[in-house]
Amino acid sequence: MNKSIFNSTESLKKAFIDRLEKTYLTKLENSSVRERYNVLGILVKEAFALDWMKTNQRIDKTDARQVYYFSMEFLMGRLITNNLMNYGISDIAEQAFTEMGFDINETEDYEPDPGLGNGGLGRLAACYLDSMASLGIPGFGNCIRYRYGLFRQKIKNGYQEERPDNWLADGYVWEIRKEEEAEDIPFFGYVEYQQGMVYHPAEYIRAVPYDVPIVGDGNKVVTHLRLWNAEPSRKYPKNISAFEYEARLQRISGFLYPDDTTEDGKRLRLMQQYFFSSAGVKSVCRKHKEKYGTLINLHEKVVFHINDTHPTLIIPELMRIFLDEEHMEWDEAWKITTHTVAYTNHTILAEALEKWQASIMQPLLPRIYQLIEEINRRFCLELLEKHGYKNIDLINSLSIIHDGMVRMAHLCIVASFSVNGVAKLHTEILKNIEMKDFYALYPDKFRNVTNGITHRRWLIQSNKELTKILNDTIGTSWVHRPEDLSKLLKFSNDSNVQKSIQQMKFEKKKALSERIFKEQGIVLDPNSIFDIQVKRLHEYKRQLLNALHIMYVYHELKTNLEFKKNYAPHSFIFGAKAAGSYYFAKKVIKLINTIAKKVNDDVETNSFLKVIFVENYNVSYAEIIMPACDISEQISTASKEASGTGNMKFMMNGAITLGTEDGANVEIHELVGDDCIFIFGMNASEVTSLMGKKTYRPNDIYLQDPLIHEILDNLVNGFFENEDPNEFKDIFDRLVNEDTYFVLKDFEAYKQAHQAANEAYKNQQEWTRKAIVNIGKSGIFSSDRSIQEYADNIWHIKSIL
């Protein structure tokens, strides 16, 4: 089977019906949407199978350097639409389905979102794979084949409930099992010296790869994401029962980010990290040696890219292979390792800079821990030679192992040839504050690559109406050169273009409203302002600030006739998942849903104010939400958000950012200017200064500001009927006594920014001009630009095109 069946609707229909009957023993008119989806997926995969093989052959023949991008998560979204579009066969497929009497959208919608990610980290990784394939960069992803992903979110009585996301229940049409390339991964056991260190594992777990194709945009390049599945090894363990061994296997490739509040949970996470890091490294090294007969030149042909600290164990695993299997000397092994590994930092939050207890790592990974100890010993000796014992505090602060904890970010910095931040502000904070001592030690390692998004999914695929407007107005060059979106800027005051943009936005808001009504029974007015905050639920992202402001708006609508008279109707839309063990974040979800019930049921105000918390927010939902947005809420505490990519997706679809000077918001602000964004609150230096002084007293604001006092009191005084007055006492106490992320400090500025945005929306001509400026300036945030910067400045990899 090849692409020829997609040359015409007749050939596709014939092949489709034939495959349907042979696979499912059913006639077309009796087929289910599941059967039609699977058959279409099989035919599409077979269509590009030859190009997939040719891509691998071309990479091998050209001796191209390759990058292996390791990430704990890849938030891929559905692939059926993406693969049809990138391979250039979507029109034929749609027409053929129409002629057969079916809606291809129904078939596409059947595909489950793969449960391989949670938030921005995983979606970024997915965008990067798309850009690598579309630019012809020989790059491949590595991850775990989670059976249940993070979880499927259910909201019950306002609370988040976590349920298994059984996305693999019916198999996954895109994956190919590669049993012949499986690797055995060792755990536990002991190390002894026998003319060199010899590791005796107590058990092995077999890592079996499943390859998922990544189809480049119209260039016949097909790379892959490799997912590792945990299965029984043929080297069966002797020290545990078969039942216990099977249970351990199930857990390793069971859930993304299992609860790590217990020692057992921490051990499981560490096992997951080593499992896929070791499997990926061993596989690449084995293939490299088969081709070149040696690993001495590995760094000339391979880059292992560590996306956040989860795959850090790539580093000691490489050293283990070089020392124990290749019998290299330490200096040679270290030189190759440090010229092979690159690291992207995604956070400055201390809680997210992973540290592992040595007491957990050592028995689980005895040889790996031993190697980390030796890396740390040599690193500390270098520091001692440079600084002497007079600066022992500096050495302790930089050491990889300290106070019984292994600092994974420190290991990454010491062993990588490149360390990059993901936005200009983030990188400057790393260099000058959070990692300034490492920057002083390794100034040439640090660089910036601002994150990006694939415009193919987040504009062309998810917003066909805007795509048509762009093609009709500025031509199609932007499709392959997204920087050409800037051509739209000269039409920012064009009345016809403005009307087209307004109509597009209305249609997208209407589509989102229809889905919300279908799933949640709540009516939204598409003419109201759609104000949207969708992202992982975390305190620093400040969904709580948004919620408190809604309580203020509701109060004003109820008590202030002048406010009500002048207020443009506003629909606040949230989407977020909180980690199952993150108690406070789950309380915030409960608060948002409680606010929503109160304001949505109030007939006096609900024509002016609605609040929605969409259930089980994921990539496919985001494809509907992003184009429908008027105001993009990017309100993290300044200095805490590394970059953000939701801000870019909203911007590209014509939303106006309301946010702090944080992450990539800073760069958006620089691009669009003061009049096309709503900036509020403390900036990063002000936050850092206030945190350093430790003089912030949120209780003073509570006592001195009557408005804030009333809003916070409403959390605990019975304002929410049918709720225990103590339901939100933890939120009240946290705000009044701690307010770690300066919610109360920034509240007044946030309120004023909202007032300005609400007023600005009333002038639709001017608002649409702002939207057009945002679209026109968004091309710089294409992940194609990001990947080209990685390829040119970090990986030093050439396109195979």
Side-chain angles (χ1 to χ4, degrees):
M1 187 74 65
N2 55 46
K3 189 178 179 179
S4 62
I5 67 164
F6 287 90
N7 286 342
S8 70
T9 57
E10 290 304 316
S11 59
L12 176 55
K13 287 189 294 183
K14 183 177 183 300
F16 184 89
I17 293 169
D18 182 65
R19 182 61 62 91
L20 180 72
E21 292 177 351
K22 289 178 178 177
T23 304
Y24 292 108
L25 307 179
T26 188
K27 292 291 184 180
L28 180 65
E29 59 270 21
N30 298 323
S31 64
S32 68
V33 65
R34 179 186 72 87
E35 292 165 342
R36 293 193 294 274
Y37 162 74
N38 281 322
V39 168
L40 179 60
I42 290 168
L43 294 179
V44 172
K45 186 168 68 174
E46 289 178 353
F48 58 66
L50 185 60
D51 285 333
W52 194 352
M53 292 174 60
K54 286 181 177 179
T55 299
N56 292 330
Q57 292 166 359
R58 196 183 328 174
I59 291 171
D60 188 61
K61 184 178 180 180
T62 58
D63 209 24
R65 196 180 196 199
Q66 301 167 50
V67 60
Y68 294 88
Y69 196 89
F70 284 71
S71 181
M72 200 72 187
E73 50 177 297
F74 284 84
L75 200 58
M76 299 299 293
R78 296 168 179 156
L79 292 185
I80 182 75
T81 307
N82 190 77
N83 290 344
L84 285 167
M85 289 182 64
N86 278 8
Y87 206 61
I89 55 179
S90 58
D91 290 344
I92 287 287
E94 183 174 1
Q95 186 179 344
F97 264 66
T98 300
E99 291 176 7
M100 290 187 292
F102 298 108
D103 181 0
I104 197 170
N105 293 315
E106 178 191 35
T107 305
E108 293 173 346
D109 289 345
Y110 178 80
E111 180 175 339
D113 275 37
L116 302 173
N118 174 31
L121 181 76
R123 186 52 234 173
L124 177 78
C127 285
Y128 280 0
L129 289 185
D130 177 82
S131 286
M132 287 183 217
S134 295
L135 294 175
I137 301 297
F140 308 90
N142 269 265
C143 190
I144 294 174
R145 185 177 178 263
Y146 305 104
R147 282 191 306 282
Y148 302 112
L150 185 71
F151 56 80
R152 182 171 59 85
Q153 183 189 57
K154 182 72 176 174
I155 302 298
K156 192 171 183 180
N157 193 29
Y159 294 99
Q160 170 183 288
E161 291 186 355
E162 301 92 34
R163 302 183 180 181
D165 178 15
N166 195 14
W167 69 281
L168 282 170
D170 193 36
Y172 190 46
V173 71
W174 303 111
E175 67 185 7
I176 296 177
R177 180 179 170 92
K178 309 282 280 189
E179 174 126 19
E180 296 76 13
E181 297 182 30
E183 302 285 349
D184 279 326
I185 312 303
F187 293 97
F188 302 104
Y190 64 95
V191 180
E192 67 174 353
Y193 184 79
Q194 297 176 354
Q195 297 180 333
M197 293 298 177
V198 178
Y199 175 32
H200 299 278
E203 69 178 74
Y204 292 89
I205 293 175
R206 194 159 182 80
V208 179
Y210 286 72
D211 288 350
V212 177
I214 309 296
V215 179
D217 180 21
N219 59 8
K220 296 187 179 297
V221 171
V222 184
T223 58
H224 66 256
L225 165 62
R226 173 155 286 191
L227 304 174
W228 295 97
N229 195 55
E231 301 183 12
S233 170
R234 295 183 179 91
K235 303 172 184 177
Y236 209 82
K238 300 176 181 178
N239 59 334
I240 60 173
S241 69
F243 178 81
E244 186 180 348
Y245 181 55
E246 179 65 25
R248 188 172 287 166
L249 294 173
Q250 294 291 331
R251 294 174 71 201
I252 284 180
S253 52
F255 290 90
L256 169 66
Y257 300 140
D259 180 8
D260 64 351
T261 57
T262 65
E263 187 167 304
D264 188 52
K266 290 181 174 68
R267 185 180 299 108
L268 175 57
R269 281 214 189 185
L270 194 55
M271 288 185 78
Q272 286 183 324
Q273 292 183 11
Y274 183 65
F275 171 77
F276 93 100
S277 297
S278 173
V281 168
K282 289 175 74 171
S283 178
V284 171
C285 287
R286 178 175 48 77
K287 290 181 181 178
H288 182 90
K289 191 170 182 180
E290 287 173 359
K291 180 175 182 179
Y292 296 102
T294 180
L295 295 182
I296 289 176
N297 65 339
L298 183 72
H299 59 292
E300 298 172 4
K301 304 298 180 182
V302 167
V303 176
F304 291 116
H305 198 96
I306 296 175
N307 190 39
D308 216 359
T309 52
H310 309 116
T312 301
L313 294 175
I314 286 172
I315 295 162
E317 177 66 6
L318 269 176
M319 290 296 291
R320 186 196 65 77
I321 291 171
F322 294 152
L323 296 171
D324 297 356
E325 298 179 10
E326 299 301 309
H327 308 294
M328 296 183 189
E329 295 297 322
W330 182 277
D331 288 347
E332 182 180 33
W334 184 244
K335 179 181 178 181
I336 298 170
T337 298
T338 55
H339 285 78
T340 305
V341 176
Y343 163 57
T344 295
N345 174 278
H346 283 277
T347 184
I348 63 169
L349 295 178
E351 67 194 64
L353 291 171
E354 287 187 305
K355 301 184 183 77
W356 292 107
Q357 294 164 252
S359 60
I360 293 176
M361 182 181 287
Q362 194 280 330
L364 178 65
L365 304 168
R367 181 56 175 152
I368 292 299
Y369 180 73
Q370 192 178 63
L371 290 166
I372 295 173
E373 279 189 315
E374 182 61 17
I375 293 169
N376 183 58
R377 186 186 71 82
R378 291 173 182 250
F379 173 59
C380 289
L381 282 176
E382 289 179 20
L383 294 176
L384 276 171
E385 290 175 9
K386 186 171 184 177
H387 297 286
Y389 284 97
K390 67 180 185 300
N391 220 334
I392 196 69
D393 289 342
L394 175 65
I395 296 171
N396 286 336
S397 71
L398 296 180
S399 64
I400 297 166
I401 303 174
H402 185 65
D403 283 343
M405 303 296 289
V406 181
R407 299 156 160 170
M408 305 300 264
H410 291 207
L411 179 55
C412 285
I413 296 168
V414 171
S416 299
F417 66 82
S418 172
V419 177
N420 75 277
V422 291
K424 290 177 183 176
L425 174 63
H426 172 234
T427 302
E428 290 306 306
I429 291 172
L430 291 180
K431 293 195 297 187
N432 299 320
I433 300 174
E434 296 299 325
M435 296 178 176
K436 64 179 180 180
D437 292 327
F438 274 117
Y439 178 59
L441 193 64
Y442 304 122
D444 294 338
K445 285 189 179 186
F446 284 76
R447 63 205 76 201
N448 177 66
V449 180
T450 297
N451 284 346
I453 60 171
T454 172
H455 62 286
R456 284 168 288 276
R457 180 178 289 267
W458 296 110
L459 177 49
I460 299 171
Q461 179 178 321
S462 63
N463 198 338
K464 293 178 181 177
E465 293 87 345
L466 179 54
T467 298
K468 185 177 188 307
I469 294 169
L470 291 168
N471 290 344
D472 291 346
T473 306
I474 62 173
T476 60
S477 66
W478 65 273
V479 172
H480 297 292
R481 289 174 46 85
E483 59 269 27
D484 283 357
L485 285 170
S486 62
K487 294 178 180 178
L488 188 67
L489 294 173
K490 65 182 180 182
F491 296 94
S492 62
N493 290 304
D494 186 294
S495 60
N496 291 325
V497 173
Q498 286 195 354
K499 287 176 184 176
S500 297
I501 295 290
Q502 290 166 6
Q503 183 61 32
M504 172 276 294
K505 189 62 72 172
F506 179 82
E507 292 300 326
K508 290 302 185 181
K509 290 163 71 173
K510 184 179 175 184
L512 176 58
S513 300
E514 289 171 352
R515 172 160 178 175
I516 288 171
F517 178 74
K518 179 181 178 182
E519 295 186 359
Q520 297 178 247
I522 298 170
V523 177
L524 294 184
D525 178 5
N527 290 303
S528 67
I529 300 172
F530 275 28
D531 184 308
I532 303 180
Q533 187 177 18
V534 285
K535 52 186 74 239
R536 180 168 55 93
L537 204 306
H538 194 287
E539 288 166 83
Y540 86 84
K541 294 178 183 289
R542 299 202 295 191
Q543 285 93 343
L544 184 53
L545 175 60
N546 195 345
L548 294 179
H549 175 257
I550 293 169
M551 292 176 67
Y552 155 76
V553 171
Y554 180 66
H555 174 269
E556 292 298 297
L557 288 172
K558 293 289 285 185
T559 61
N560 187 336
L561 290 177
E562 191 64 23
F563 181 92
K564 188 175 183 180
K565 177 182 176 182
N566 292 313
Y567 190 71
H570 217 108
S571 297
F572 289 91
I573 300 169
F574 294 84
K577 291 181 179 180
S581 60
Y582 195 168
Y583 170 81
F584 189 82
K586 293 170 80 170
K587 273 292 183 188
V588 173
I589 290 178
K590 170 63 175 173
L591 175 61
I592 293 168
N593 282 300
T594 303
I595 294 170
K597 179 167 177 51
K598 187 172 183 70
V599 304
N600 294 346
D601 290 348
D602 192 327
V603 295
E604 292 183 3
T605 59
N606 62 15
S607 61
F608 294 88
L609 177 65
K610 287 282 181 71
V611 180
I612 309 295
F613 189 97
V614 301
E615 192 174 78
N616 201 42
Y617 174 66
N618 57 18
V619 174
S620 297
Y621 213 147
E623 289 170 7
I624 299 172
I625 287 174
M626 298 295 174
C629 180
D630 293 310
I631 295 178
S632 163
E633 295 271 357
Q634 308 298 329
I635 59 177
S636 55
T637 307
S639 80
K640 302 304 178 185
E641 184 73 83
S643 170
T645 52
N647 46 8
M648 303 170 188
K649 294 162 194 156
F650 282 127
M651 176 192 190
M652 192 171 279
N653 282 277
I656 316 300
T657 301
L658 191 155
T660 52
E661 288 272 32
D662 197 24
N665 293 353
V666 175
E667 292 163 66
I668 293 175
H669 187 188
E670 291 174 354
L671 286 165
V672 303
D674 293 341
D675 65 334
C676 293
I677 193 171
F678 298 97
I679 294 293
F680 75 94
M682 293 186 292
N683 61 32
S685 61
E686 290 168 337
V687 169
T688 303
S689 174
L690 189 55
M691 292 178 69
K693 291 176 182 176
K694 298 182 179 180
T695 57
Y696 178 51
R697 301 288 182 266
N699 190 52
D700 291 345
I701 298 177
Y702 168 69
L703 293 175
Q704 295 168 15
D705 187 319
L707 177 60
I708 287 178
H709 195 289
E710 181 170 4
I711 292 170
L712 295 191
D713 279 356
N714 283 344
L715 294 174
V716 292
N717 65 6
F719 174 74
F720 297 112
E721 303 87 351
N722 304 318
E723 294 289 349
D724 186 326
N726 290 318
E727 178 69 48
F728 304 117
K729 190 173 186 308
D730 289 337
I731 294 178
F732 175 89
D733 290 343
R734 183 78 63 91
L735 287 170
V736 171
N737 299 321
E738 300 174 35
D739 195 19
T740 307
Y741 296 103
F742 305 112
V743 170
L744 302 187
K745 181 73 174 174
D746 273 348
F747 182 84
E748 179 60 29
Y750 181 60
K751 177 168 72 75
Q752 292 178 15
H754 257 285
Q755 289 170 347
N758 190 274
E759 185 63 30
Y761 188 78
K762 298 172 189 175
N763 184 341
Q764 274 294 289
Q765 181 178 344
E766 177 59 17
W767 184 273
T768 308
R769 184 192 70 81
K770 297 178 193 290
I772 291 172
V773 170
N774 273 269
I775 296 167
K777 293 287 189 178
S778 68
I780 189 71
F781 294 116
S782 166
S783 52
D784 289 4
R785 184 268 312 154
S786 303
I787 285 300
Q788 196 62 60
E789 289 183 12
Y790 275 108
D792 292 344
N793 303 328
I794 295 178
W795 303 332
H796 303 294
I797 288 178
K798 303 293 185 184
S799 171
I800 60 172
L801 295 176

